[in-house]
Amino acid sequence: MRHRYALVVFLLAPLAAAAQTLPAPWVSGDIGTPPGAGESAFAANVFTVTGGGDIWGGADAFHLVSRPLGIDGILTARVNAITDEPDWAKAGLVMRASAAPGAPYVGLVASNLGVHFQVRAEAEGETEGPTDVFGIATPTWLRLTREQTSVKADYSVDGVTWTRVDSVAVEALAGGLTVGLGVSAADYGDGTTVTATFAGVSLTDLDGDANAVSTETDPTAGFAVEPFAPNPASGAARAVVRTAQPGTVTVEAFDLLGRRVAARTVRVGAGTSEVALPTEAVPAGVYLVRLTEAATQASVVQRLAVVR
């Protein structure tokens, strides 16, 4: 049974320094002191993260690539693969009240066994769960949605159809969070590390701003999208995309229950191109529109309102 807990006040702890080549504002470092130190890198819109230790118990030790989240939002990523993984080595999404080892958190992670959702509702309290979906192999999509103190966890094998793993209300996650990509090796002292790769990483604000744009893609990374216009839209909505190479971009619109209501694939050239999403057949409402570059699987999400 899930329980609601009182807010716990704690000090923010900085991430331990680690070598990194990450697009701002992403940073990386070890949480706690894992026996095997971690590291991270970013290239071609793929995060490569190495971590040791474990995300479990009353205090964690693992490697985290993170950025702040001050408002409600959706964190999404595809775990491509985990190398040299023992059972219970984990790679996935975390939302933490701070970088302190014992901070309250929620985590949706993939392992050699499947997909797992776990929660620490109090500072330095024991981790609850996990809620397991066994038999789900990588690559797999993971998504955490934070709305105030509520967090929903979903997974998808194709990035389109999502399945709910669990949801929880954690009062200690009411404020600003540290969110990102965590990797641990299920290591109990021998210094083991594992490496995971993540693609399609996006963080979408849900603050009621119809033009809120995913902060996943740094403009220097080769794929960027300007806000859709007009927004609200009654006909076709258009956006300018920038790509480093010719290829295709898939444009998909999802309602707030995660159902895809419109989709098209557009061929683009290197540099800037315009893509359009027809909305004439879409009911009035607010939608999440995801644009994905085929070559790199880089993904950007925007909110789009449709009016009639």
Side-chain angles (χ1 to χ4, degrees):
M1 178 182 295
R2 298 295 185 188
H3 301 279
R4 297 176 67 87
Y5 291 80
L7 176 65
V8 179
V9 179
F10 43 83
L11 296 177
L12 296 179
L15 290 175
Q20 56 184 307
T21 55
L22 304 177
W26 295 93
V27 298
S28 77
D30 283 337
I31 299 291
T33 310
E39 60 184 11
S40 61
F42 179 82
N45 288 298
V46 172
F47 288 87
T48 301
V49 185
T50 298
D54 198 11
I55 311 172
W56 193 248
D60 306 313
F62 69 104
H63 197 73
L64 178 64
V65 173
S66 68
R67 56 166 300 147
L69 175 65
I71 57 178
D72 294 342
I74 300 175
L75 178 64
T76 305
R78 187 182 67 188
V79 181
N80 285 344
I82 311 173
T83 62
D84 302 321
E85 55 172 317
D87 288 348
W88 294 114
K90 303 166 187 173
L93 309 181
V94 293
M95 292 185 169
R96 302 179 65 87
S98 79
Y105 80 94
V106 294
L108 180 64
V109 297
S111 77
N112 187 46
L113 304 173
V115 172
H116 319 280
F117 181 62
Q118 53 194 61
V119 181
R120 181 185 299 123
E122 296 181 292
E124 299 182 358
E126 287 298 312
T127 296
E128 299 177 6
T131 302
D132 302 304
V133 183
F134 291 113
I136 306 300
T138 56
T140 185
W141 287 88
L142 305 176
R143 182 173 69 191
L144 288 175
T145 302
R146 194 281 282 268
E147 297 181 77
Q148 299 181 6
T149 60
S150 173
V151 180
K152 301 172 184 177
D154 302 273
Y155 79 91
S156 173
V157 297
D158 59 8
V160 176
T161 302
W162 292 86
T163 300
R164 177 64 40 83
V165 179
D166 207 344
S167 62
V168 66
V170 182
E171 295 294 340
L173 299 182
L177 303 180
T178 296
V179 305
L181 315 172
V183 174
S184 69
D187 169 38
Y188 300 100
D190 63 2
T192 299
T193 61
V194 298
T195 299
T197 55
F198 300 83
V201 179
S202 67
L203 178 61
T204 306
D205 294 341
L206 292 180
D207 61 352
D209 179 359
N211 289 315
V213 180
S214 165
T215 52
E216 175 267 330
T217 305
D218 184 81
T220 63
F223 182 59
V225 182
E226 295 182 5
F228 271 97
N231 191 356
S234 58
R238 291 177 168 79
V240 174
V241 303
R242 183 171 68 246
T243 55
Q245 56 189 327
T248 60
V249 172
T250 300
V251 187
E252 303 166 284
F254 300 88
D255 66 19
L256 297 186
L257 295 177
R259 297 172 298 195
R260 187 167 66 171
V261 299
R264 65 179 311 207
T265 298
V266 181
R267 184 166 296 279
V268 297
T272 59
S273 305
E274 184 180 86
V275 299
L277 177 67
T279 66
E280 291 84 353
V282 176
V286 177
Y287 298 89
L288 297 180
V289 180
R290 183 175 68 203
L291 299 93
T292 305
E293 184 184 28
T296 63
Q297 287 297 293
S299 180
V300 169
V301 180
Q302 298 187 16
R303 286 170 67 92
L304 176 66
V306 175
V307 296
R308 293 288 176 254

